[in-house]
Amino acid sequence: SLLASAAAGLFVFARARRWLPPWPAVFALILFYTAPLQYYGMLALPNAVMLCFATAGVWLLGVQRGGLNAALGAVLLVLAILQKPLALPMAAAVGIAVLADPTRRRDVGWAAAATLAAAAASWLLFDRLSGGVFTELLGLQAGRFSSKSGFELMRGYPPFLAQLRSHGLHSAVAWNLYEHARSLLLPGPFGNLHLVVL
């Protein structure tokens, strides 16, 4: 997670450096590294790896030019989605932006072919290794997004339910507000209060 967060920051810096002078670009990098969500990026969770793959994919597919960059960026975005489906909106936004750019018609073909190949290969590999459980998991995730029942699913996880009860939280909105307030007031370099003051 630490290495993935560090690498993601380099892609953020590269993107900022493309449009900004050096010092503002460095400031963008510092803001990225000190954002409160980096607290979760340091944990043994898929968040940091997803963000690393996604930022690299956005850099290659969304910013760089050429078929090879487009194909590699598309594969990285597929890997980000496989790591954690929260990357799907970002991947979709980059895909729409590339489709809307008339100068990138050739890149679209490379990206589409790479996306289909990476998705199919990953699906077959993971499904075979898991004895079909991977396909069931995809169905669960699809149902979770369509029904917006992620909070209800997590309530079935005893440690999560215990934490909800200990803080008197009874709804998804209350949980999200609690988590945002906690990350804002988190002490040390991963708190966001110093960014608000700046």
Side-chain angles (χ1 to χ4, degrees):
S1 291
L2 179 62
L3 291 175
S5 294
L10 296 179
F11 284 106
V12 168
F13 175 75
R15 185 150 187 184
R17 187 63 188 92
R18 188 178 178 96
W19 293 301
L20 299 170
W23 284 113
V26 169
F27 186 65
L29 176 66
I30 291 169
L31 286 178
F32 174 80
Y33 282 143
T34 58
L37 286 177
Q38 296 302 351
Y39 168 78
Y40 297 101
M42 298 301 117
L43 303 177
L45 292 170
N47 301 40
V49 177
M50 174 207 67
L51 189 59
C52 181
F53 285 155
T55 53
V58 168
W59 171 253
L60 289 168
L61 177 59
V63 179
Q64 301 288 32
R65 298 290 173 135
L68 187 59
N69 285 328
L72 186 55
V75 168
L76 287 169
L77 288 169
V78 168
L79 291 175
I81 293 166
L82 287 171
Q83 192 70 27
K84 195 164 184 180
L86 283 175
L88 186 58
M90 182 186 291
V94 173
I96 291 168
V98 172
L99 279 171
D101 186 347
T103 67
R104 303 207 54 197
R105 295 292 180 222
R106 184 172 292 187
D107 292 352
V108 168
W110 281 91
T115 299
L116 291 173
S122 301
W123 189 330
L124 291 172
L125 175 66
F126 294 145
D127 196 62
R128 187 173 188 99
L129 289 174
S130 67
V133 173
F134 182 70
T135 301
E136 291 179 25
L137 178 61
L138 288 180
L140 174 67
Q141 289 286 12
R144 169 184 160 186
F145 282 122
S146 65
S147 65
K148 299 180 180 177
S149 62
F151 180 76
E152 291 305 319
L153 285 173
M154 285 301 293
R155 285 173 64 101
Y157 181 56
F160 182 78
L161 185 58
Q163 192 170 18
L164 287 179
R165 288 179 177 160
S166 70
H167 297 292
L169 305 170
H170 304 290
S171 69
V173 172
W175 169 252
N176 275 291
L177 289 173
Y178 167 79
E179 279 297 297
H180 281 81
R182 192 171 71 86
S183 67
L184 180 70
L185 301 173
L186 199 68
F190 298 114
N192 197 31
L193 199 55
H194 65 290
L195 298 181
V196 173
V197 171
L198 285 175

